[in-house]
Amino acid sequence: MDWKSIFKNRTLYALVLIIILGLLSGFAGCITQDTDKTVNEDDNFIIIHESEFFNDSHVFEGGIYLGYNNEHQYSFNITNLTQTIHLNYTFQYRFEEPLVGPAGEVRITWTFYNESADENFILHTVVSEPTMAENGTIVYYDDYLDGFENLTGEITVRISGNGSDQTLTGGNKDFFILESELEHATII
């Protein structure tokens, strides 16, 4: 057994141990609680999360090009204390191009309406594209919507579209399915 190599390894281990202990003792003051600061009750705040679901679907039954409209106003109000708005949705659809005329489509728009009419703006819009045999699916998950900061108002979703039933010409009925959730967090 070589005594020199054993002492060299012990020396290296001792040096590493001293460095680690020195670093840990240097960080010891960083992880203690600051007891000099007084707690003010006014500094405490609560974040409230509210969410609302809106689901809609429609099958275009007529052989001719027909329209569809629907609007939903969310029940919660946006205030200047609202911190985040998240939109989650799944949108499935099928629109076939008929023998005569354009293919159908659906446009879904989430709009923020401010108390003053000059500050209304669109938060998000999605538009379907023509598809043939397969369904189109758009998944929009947990996206942060912005532009509403320091404003007060409400949010509305509007669906407008048109389509037809191509079963007489060997096609399928146009349709869409929307499942959505709008969530916001407010500090009180």
Side-chain angles (χ1 to χ4, degrees):
M1 181 178 274
D2 185 20
W3 289 100
K4 287 185 180 183
S5 65
I6 291 174
F7 284 118
K8 285 183 183 178
N9 288 340
R10 285 187 182 178
T11 306
L12 178 65
Y13 291 139
L15 182 62
V16 169
L17 182 63
I18 291 172
I19 291 172
I20 290 174
L21 288 175
L23 288 173
L24 289 176
S25 64
F27 289 123
C30 298
I31 57 175
T32 60
Q33 184 175 1
D34 184 11
T35 56
D36 295 336
K37 184 177 178 183
T38 58
V39 176
N40 187 355
E41 293 297 324
D42 295 336
D43 290 344
N44 295 336
F45 59 88
I46 300 171
I47 298 177
I48 294 180
H49 294 275
E50 292 180 284
S51 63
E52 187 172 334
F53 295 91
F54 174 71
N55 300 328
D56 195 9
S57 63
H58 185 73
V59 176
F60 293 91
E61 298 283 344
I64 58 171
Y65 206 58
L66 296 175
Y68 176 82
N69 288 306
N70 191 8
E71 186 172 306
H72 173 74
Q73 180 178 330
Y74 290 95
S75 61
F76 50 75
N77 288 324
I78 305 302
T79 68
N80 56 359
L81 298 176
T82 299
Q83 296 298 304
T84 60
I85 296 178
H86 293 271
L87 172 63
N88 309 315
Y89 69 81
T90 302
F91 177 46
Q92 298 176 338
Y93 59 89
R94 179 183 54 232
F95 291 98
E96 295 182 14
E97 193 166 338
L99 294 176
V100 177
E105 74 171 10
V106 169
R107 176 180 297 270
I108 305 169
T109 306
W110 284 266
T111 305
F112 178 82
Y113 291 97
N114 190 268
E115 291 177 346
S116 62
D118 58 338
E119 294 189 38
N120 301 335
F121 55 90
I122 294 173
L123 292 169
H124 185 71
T125 299
V126 61
V127 179
S128 64
E129 294 181 11
T131 61
M132 291 310 287
E134 297 180 13
N135 297 342
T137 302
I138 298 172
V139 178
Y140 195 81
Y141 178 71
D142 201 30
D143 187 44
Y144 172 74
L145 304 175
D146 58 357
F148 61 89
E149 292 84 0
N150 297 320
L151 298 174
T152 302
E154 56 196 31
I155 296 176
T156 300
V157 58
R158 177 175 292 129
I159 298 175
S160 60
N162 42 50
S164 59
D165 177 4
Q166 285 88 17
T167 56
L168 294 176
T169 59
N172 296 302
K173 295 179 181 180
D174 293 344
F175 76 92
F176 74 89
I177 300 169
L178 171 68
E179 297 174 357
S180 70
E181 176 187 16
L182 192 66
E183 177 186 5
H184 79 107
T186 302
I187 295 179
I188 60 167

